[in-house]
Each structure stands twice: as C-alpha cells, then as structure tokens.
Amino acid sequence: MSTIPWLGPSDPFPNPQTQSDPDPEVPGLLAVSERIFAGQLERAYRSGIFPWYSVRQPVLWWSPDPRMTLNPADLKISHSLNKSIKQFLDDPQMQLRVDHDFNGLMRACATTERAGQDGTWITHEIIDAYTALHEQGYAHCISIVSHSQTIGGLYCVCLGKMVFGESMFSRVKDSSKLALAALCAWCYDHGVTLIDCQQETDHLRSLGAKPITRTAFLEHLHHAVAQKDPWAWDFDKIVLQKYLV
C-alpha cells in the first residue's frame, strides 16, 4: 500500500488520470496538506481535484470515482419548482444577484443547519481560499433575495467552460433550487455542458445529476478548461424564463 503524499506549497498534485489511489481503503483521497496554499486551489481544480475535510483535520484532496455530474440540460424541474419559479419571476420583491457578497454567501452556506449533518466542511480557511479565487474571477455566487434579505443561494468555481458546484443553502423552500436552476440556465446558454457535483447523493440524483467514471470526467475536464471562459457572470432572474416555455 502506498503512502498518501503530504504536499508542500509548490508540490504538484498526483495525476488522477495516470496514478491509482494511494490507499485503496480510502478511495478517491489523493493527497493531504497542512493548509491550502496560495495558487494551490486553482491548480487542484484544473486537475480534477478538490478539498473536503473537517475542522481539526488536515486538508484532504479528493478525486472520487465515480464522479457526480449534472448536465444543465438534464436538470429536473418538478411541478413544485416550476411553481416556485413562476412566483419568483412574478414577485418584484424577489431578485437574483450574481457575485454579490461572495464571502457572506459562503458563510451562510457554512452556518445553515442541514438535516443529518453535524458541523460543516466550510472552514475559515476554505472561505479565505475561495474568496481569493473569487477575487481572481474564478469563483462565483448566485444569491436569491427577498425584500433585501438573502434567503438562499450557491457558490461555484468556473474555469474555461467547466463549472464546479460547491455548496448551496436555503432558508426558504426551493430558494437554493432557484439558484441552481439559474446556474443551469446560464450554463446551457453559454455552452457549459457539465457541472461537477463531486459526491453522489440522493438529493443530487433527484435533480438530474448522474455519476460518470473518473476517466470520463477527467477527459471532459481537460477539454473544457482549455476553452475560452464563458461570457461575463452578469445575469438576473429573467434567465429562469427558460423553464416556462
């Protein structure tokens, strides 16, 4: 059994396309580091690797097989969500904001209680690292706002024409799903054909996400990140009209 490597600030990540998992008992775990270093997070995403760990753990770097993904065209719009979209579009007090208070939205994702979960993987270090990516233009957020209060949303990473979904939160029914539907509509309109959802869950499956092999994911990633970035992240709730046709 190989030892899982500890990475320093400039150490390269293992290549998940050519190297097997270091420890078969922990499938998908490729490397560990003491902290997230500057520039390391972007390099990880370009390699199909992401951090996921808990407080008091070292930084754990993953590339799972299979990989949960969502084709924006496959998003399932339930009758309930369709009704929520109509109400959202018709209510002038409800708005969709893009890249507004990124740090605050991440903190909302970290602090919103979720059924069956104790604590969060979104540590202060994670918030700082993704906020730095946001300042570089690689990370984005979508907020659902009602009467000037943020009631739900999500954040993600975008490199070329590859979008990596990270986390979302909801304080009002369907608010995070409205953000996801807006993201999918924008991706569909701009030639983004795959959103990385990372881990397999029943919730993601109910929204239309499907697992694909790590090899297939990495092949798609290689071509997608090499393409020109989509248009500017500048849209509003009108993008959701796509689902009313």
Side-chain angles (χ1 to χ4, degrees):
M1 181 179 68
S2 302
T3 302
I4 297 174
W6 278 81
L7 302 180
S10 57
D11 290 337
F13 284 98
N15 185 342
Q17 201 155 18
T18 60
Q19 296 174 249
S20 59
D21 294 347
D23 186 347
E25 294 186 4
V26 193
L29 179 60
L30 296 188
V32 180
S33 63
E34 184 177 355
R35 54 186 295 266
I36 298 177
F37 301 99
Q40 192 177 41
L41 191 56
E42 181 191 345
R43 288 193 290 111
Y45 275 97
R46 291 187 183 277
S47 301
I49 300 168
F50 61 88
W52 185 45
Y53 63 104
S54 301
V55 177
R56 292 183 293 278
Q57 283 186 325
V59 181
L60 307 178
W61 298 95
W62 301 84
S63 183
D65 188 10
R67 187 85 165 222
M68 201 65 164
T69 60
L70 173 62
N71 182 331
D74 293 339
L75 177 68
K76 293 181 179 178
I77 303 295
S78 66
H79 176 75
S80 173
L81 179 54
N82 184 269
K83 182 178 179 181
S84 294
I85 290 173
K86 289 179 180 178
Q87 292 173 340
F88 179 58
L89 289 171
D90 289 341
D91 188 344
Q93 298 297 326
M94 297 190 73
Q95 298 298 325
L96 181 148
R97 295 178 181 172
V98 177
D99 286 347
H100 174 76
D101 190 13
F102 182 88
N103 186 279
L105 190 135
M106 280 202 70
R107 284 187 276 108
C109 287
T111 57
T112 299
E113 294 185 4
R114 307 169 196 272
Q117 291 188 17
D118 181 18
T120 178
W121 67 276
I122 305 175
T123 64
H124 291 297
E125 183 178 38
I126 284 285
I127 292 174
D128 289 344
Y130 283 86
T131 298
L133 273 191
H134 170 65
E135 291 169 352
Q136 296 167 27
Y138 295 129
H140 305 275
C141 67
I142 298 174
S143 305
I144 304 299
V145 179
S146 176
H147 296 270
S148 302
Q149 297 295 316
T150 300
I151 60 172
L154 61 80
Y155 72 96
C156 59
V157 173
C158 180
L159 299 170
K161 288 194 174 181
M162 186 70 211
V163 170
F164 308 82
E166 285 306 315
S167 185
M168 53 188 182
F169 79 100
S170 184
R171 292 174 179 153
V172 175
K173 182 179 181 293
D174 284 344
S175 55
S176 61
K177 291 181 181 179
L178 289 170
L180 178 61
L183 174 63
C184 287
W186 181 88
C187 286
Y188 182 86
D189 288 344
H190 293 86
V192 176
T193 59
L194 205 66
I195 298 173
D196 175 28
C197 301
Q198 301 177 348
Q199 305 281 1
E200 250 188 286
T201 68
D202 291 338
H203 176 64
L204 288 169
R205 193 176 294 106
S206 72
L207 294 171
K210 300 174 183 177
I212 62 174
T213 66
R214 179 161 61 190
T215 297
F217 173 79
L218 294 173
E219 287 176 354
H220 178 90
L221 172 72
H222 174 73
H223 294 290
V225 298
Q227 296 184 52
K228 184 179 180 180
D229 289 351
W231 295 345
W233 284 68
D234 183 17
F235 54 94
D236 58 26
K237 68 180 185 179
I238 301 304
V239 73
L240 289 167
Q241 286 185 336
K242 167 185 175 61
Y243 300 110
L244 303 185
V245 177

